[in-house]
Amino acid sequence: MTSRPGLSNEFSCKPPRSRLQRAFLLAAAVPGCILLLFLAPPVLGIAFASFHGEVQLTPAKLKLIFSSPRILGLLYKTVCIAGLTASISVIAAWAVDWLLRKVNGSVAVFWLAIFVSGFLLSPYIFTQGWIGLLGTEGFVWKLLGWSKAPLSIYSTSGVVFILVLSHLPLGAVFVYLSRRLFPLRVFEVARLFHLPASSRLRLVELPAVGPGLPAGFLWVFVFSFWAYDIPSMLRQNLFSLEVLAAFGSFYDYGRALLLAFPPIILIVLLGLAAALPFRRTPAGFNRLAQNSGQAFWPNLFLVVIPIVTWVIPLAGVFAQLNGISGFWETVSTARRDIANSVIYGIITALIVVVWCSCFGFFLRGATPEQKFRRYFILPLPWIALPGVIIGMGYVYLFNTRYGSLLTSTNLQLVLVEVSIVAPIVMLMILVQLARWSEHWRTMGALFQIGPWEQCTRIAWPTFRVGLGIAFTVAFALAIREVPASLLNYPPGGGTIAISIETMLHFDRPEKVAALCIAQTGLLLVVSLGVMLLLKLARHGRNYV
Amino acid sequence: MCSKPHLASWVQLSLIASALLWGCSKEVKSGNEVVIYTSADEPYSQPVLSLFKQKTGIEVRAVYDAEASKTVGLVNRLIAEKARPKADVFWNSEVCRTVVLKQQGVLQKYMSPAAADIPSSFKDPEGYWTGFAARARVLLCNSNLVKEFPASIHELSEPKWKGRFAVANPLFGTAGTQIAAWFNVWGGERTRTLLGQWKVNGVMVVNGNAQARDLVASGEIPACLTDTDDAFEVISKGRPVRMIYPDQGDQDEGLFLIPNTVCLMAGAPHPEAGKKLIDFLLSSEVEEMLANGPSAQIPLRASVKRPTHVKGLGELKILKADYEKVAAALPESAAYIEDSFLK
């Protein structure tokens, strides 16, 4: 068997399964089956309901819906907004990555973490913050002494602006990961031989960031296409609102599914097209050497990015607060929703991380190319499904004889959130599992340790930080989910995101601001809690 | 080599296990709770429900509506749950879709003794629903942008209003009910003519009444059609707006009045607690609370004390609509809106 240059020999043959592997496979079997519980039933449920409801899902109906100039116009507008957002985001992400290369490796990771923190903040914060700054009666215009805003944030360009700021970190992560997986020596050779800029771009730069650009584009496109909160707050009717209205208002499964169907196909096709660059991906898991020196200018630019993307909007939200007493009053009124959010968020994050870890073990590829393809393509149909469609499927299930057993339990909303949050967490965990090494089998045999100890002494110390981050991301995404939660929240079980959504419509910016800050505070507290637990878990012996 | 797992591992496992157990647990069902679905705005309805809990000790578990789908969403949710109802009481912020629920067999009869002094025109003769505190459909104008205020909704068809007014999506909420009322009172042809003129005149259709109101309050559009509670919300904050009760002239047919309605669900899990909640909602105390609150709702009882800015029923000329017939006109109205008005 020949191996391609750059491929490590450990990926070239398939060793027999170790006890650790067998233990993992056994553990993965159950969550693998649970996949059917999380995703397949709601999707099958909505399809079943669509064919059996009053409005039948037929090609004629599809033609009727998509012959409406309003729907077509809406689809066109949404595709343009999502496309523009994704394009700007990945180009900006590429620039960010270029800056990251100029700084020390650990500093680069620090900056990346700061950017990603911005992505975890609720879109409500971005939007409310910028409305406070650039809205009709925005702080910036008042500061400049202008009685009337020269431009309106309540516009298509306003939506693109905020979508770009909130999704730029997602693009940056993909470009960064793509480059990290590129062989270091190619960069070094390019540097040593003083390659001209055009050759460097063609031979080094594009192959390095090539897979990350389409991947980042696709994920940002999907998130922007199905964005609900930002267009809703900026009074722009986009496709996600139309799908939610089709179902949220009329419980018309067929119409909602028909509306969602063409965009899902479009996204999957885009994804497959975007996956093509992976074929050309040079293999190898080398760590890219970073400049060891502390570069002043790159660091300066890197400071500006998080300031613009999330510090300014957060400051804008703080500026709208009605004092500390107003903040506490709002938080006190919404304490039940806040408590619900914490509980739902933690349980969702636990289930998602445990399940994705076990299921991810099945999906991990043997070669870097397999890893790329599986990370990218496998979650594709899933991410293409908007949360509202999954939410609708659960509405159907909760209204069946057996599904109604789960209604009014705390699991009702948790199930919905798990299904929506899982794809991005799965991706994170698959990236972690890329570090899985078959040498651990040998290590286990050498130390004569059982599967439990292999898990606790080898796997857990290796992956615990990654799992902790995945938990925090899952929690952040769960507590900010709105459209599917709106359809499914049990009586008395509203969340903080639903509270914000409600307050938005009562011209109460100070209450929205207080709830946004409370939501950010929750995220901060849980993140610190996770860090503390991870620190506690560091003690004790391990073999890594 | 064998060693015991570290204490931290056990702590983490215990946390995971207890959280999962909690997640799977069913909330304790007792007779001391009531589940209410309400399309009344949460900031207005929540204090009322809290007062009920305070007075009776009965836990209230509420599902509120979303602005995007308004009443329609909750009504359809109740229909979807018909076979296995989860709600005991539905407090609807309007009336026609409550009639739809009655027609769908989702409600059960309950004639509350607390509603004895509410006018019979606001009660279902068969006892399926009862009305209380109402809102009116009004015009809201930005006083910085409008010099000559319209007195009638028909004026919005005039060229001077071209591209200068907004309405909430009439597929939902009170905007939808109002148009169905026109279909009922004026007939289809006249209503279609008016809406057609509005469309030609560049009416802006937005997601909800609150959004239409905000556009007027911020000066982005001069006028809109909205509800009294939305209008009072911005008036109380000192925004440069003026609310006009439309069509109050001698020759005019009057404005459209929309009472809140409350009803008991068929197969309600907690019927007795549900009846107690209905009695409370139909009391004079709640009407007074809603009249004096930020939503400034119009009490249906003349005896209820109200602030000066809240008009009494006797002071308004009201469109004579039969709510049962308005509900019957909803499908025709919705079909026209979807196929022509919004297209």
Side-chain angles (χ1 to χ4, degrees), chain A residues 70 235 248-249 251 336 343 347 399 405 410-411 452-453 457 489 491-492 505-508 541 543, chain B residues 1 3 5 22-23 26 41 59 62 64 67 69 72-73 76-77 84 86 172 211 220 233 237 342:
Chain A
R70 189 176 69 86
R235 305 167 187 164
S249 307
Y251 277 52
R336 189 168 172 171
I343 294 165
I347 296 178
N399 282 313
L405 295 172
N410 302 311
L411 265 184
W452 168 255
E453 279 191 295
R457 307 282 184 195
Y489 77 94
H505 299 286
F506 294 100
D507 197 25
R508 293 272 193 278
R541 285 181 305 148
Y543 297 106
Chain B
M1 188 181 287
S3 64
W22 178 90
K26 191 106 177 170
D41 295 334
E59 183 71 33
Y64 300 96
E67 179 68 14
S69 55
V72 186
N76 285 299
R77 182 167 174 171
R84 281 162 284 275
K86 296 167 188 90
F172 317 116
Q211 189 174 330
E220 285 166 74
E233 189 72 40
K237 297 184 99 179
L342 292 178

Side-chain angles (χ1 to χ4, degrees), chain A residues 75-371:
Chain A
L75 185 61
Y76 176 74
K77 183 180 171 187
T78 313
V79 168
C80 287
I81 286 179
L84 194 60
T85 303
S87 305
I88 297 171
S89 296
V90 291
I91 292 168
W94 194 356
V96 168
D97 183 67
W98 186 81
L99 289 170
L100 288 175
R101 286 179 228 173
K102 306 287 175 194
V103 298
N104 183 288
S106 55
V107 177
V109 172
F110 167 77
W111 283 124
L112 201 66
I114 296 285
F115 301 153
V116 174
S117 309
F119 176 68
L120 296 183
L121 294 180
S122 164
Y124 285 127
I125 293 171
F126 286 104
T127 322
Q128 189 65 24
W130 284 108
I131 287 174
L133 294 167
L134 299 177
T136 319
E137 295 165 3
F139 178 74
V140 171
W141 314 133
K142 282 180 186 167
L143 200 69
L144 295 170
W146 295 348
S147 57
K148 198 176 177 188
L151 48 93
S152 176
I153 199 163
Y154 299 102
S155 60
T156 308
S157 46
V159 172
V160 172
F161 172 67
I162 295 178
L163 281 174
V164 166
L165 291 182
S166 61
H167 292 96
L168 170 62
L170 193 63
V173 166
F174 276 97
V175 175
Y176 176 81
L177 284 176
S178 169
R179 179 175 57 80
R180 281 285 303 269
L181 292 165
F182 194 75
L184 156 68
R185 56 185 170 276
V186 184
F187 281 95
E188 285 176 344
V189 166
R191 188 169 54 83
L192 287 171
F193 285 86
H194 301 290
L195 277 186
S198 60
S199 304
R200 188 186 283 243
L201 180 72
R202 187 169 51 85
L203 297 172
V204 183
E205 190 66 34
L206 283 176
V209 297
L213 292 178
F217 179 91
L218 183 77
W219 281 72
V220 175
F221 182 88
V222 172
F223 273 76
S224 308
F225 190 95
W226 293 122
Y228 169 81
D229 339 60
I230 295 171
S232 164
M233 287 177 78
L234 295 181
R235 305 167 187 164
Q236 298 295 308
N237 195 24
L238 294 191
F239 216 69
S240 57
L241 276 80
E242 184 69 23
V243 175
L244 182 66
F247 186 72
S249 307
F250 300 112
Y251 277 52
D252 186 341
Y253 294 94
R255 184 181 170 88
L257 195 59
L258 283 173
L259 279 169
F261 189 67
I264 290 171
I265 297 293
L266 172 74
I267 289 164
V268 171
L269 288 177
L270 265 178
L272 292 175
L276 290 179
F278 290 167
R279 291 170 186 271
R280 301 193 297 271
T281 304
F285 265 73
N286 303 319
R287 281 189 177 273
L288 180 63
Q290 306 276 353
N291 289 353
S292 54
Q294 294 288 336
F296 175 74
W297 288 109
N299 273 313
L300 187 70
F301 280 113
L302 287 166
V303 170
V304 172
I305 297 162
I307 287 176
V308 175
T309 54
W310 64 270
V311 176
I312 288 178
L314 202 56
V317 171
F318 269 99
Q320 293 172 58
L321 271 184
N322 189 17
I324 298 290
S325 57
F327 171 77
W328 283 118
E329 189 191 330
T330 307
V331 168
S332 161
T333 312
R335 62 185 181 278
R336 189 168 172 171
D337 293 341
I338 294 172
N340 284 339
S341 287
V342 173
I343 294 165
Y344 292 140
I346 287 178
I347 296 178
T348 300
L350 279 173
I351 294 176
V352 167
V353 169
V354 171
W355 172 54
C356 287
S357 303
C358 297
F359 199 67
F361 185 80
F362 268 136
L363 297 183
R364 78 192 199 287
T367 67
E369 286 190 355
Q370 280 179 338
K371 288 171 202 274

Side-chain angles (χ1 to χ4, degrees), chain A residues 2-14:
Chain A
T2 57
S3 63
R4 290 180 49 179
L7 264 178
S8 168
N9 282 337
E10 70 183 65
F11 296 119
S12 306
C13 60
K14 204 169 183 178

Side-chain angles (χ1 to χ4, degrees), chain A residues 409-439:
Chain A
T409 69
N410 302 311
L411 265 184
Q412 182 172 350
L413 201 52
V414 167
L415 276 176
V416 177
E417 288 179 350
V418 163
S419 306
I420 291 167
V421 165
I424 200 159
V425 175
M426 177 68 88
L427 185 85
M428 292 180 67
I429 286 176
L430 281 170
V431 171
Q432 285 293 313
L433 286 173
R435 295 159 65 198
W436 183 273
S437 168
E438 300 303 338
H439 292 317

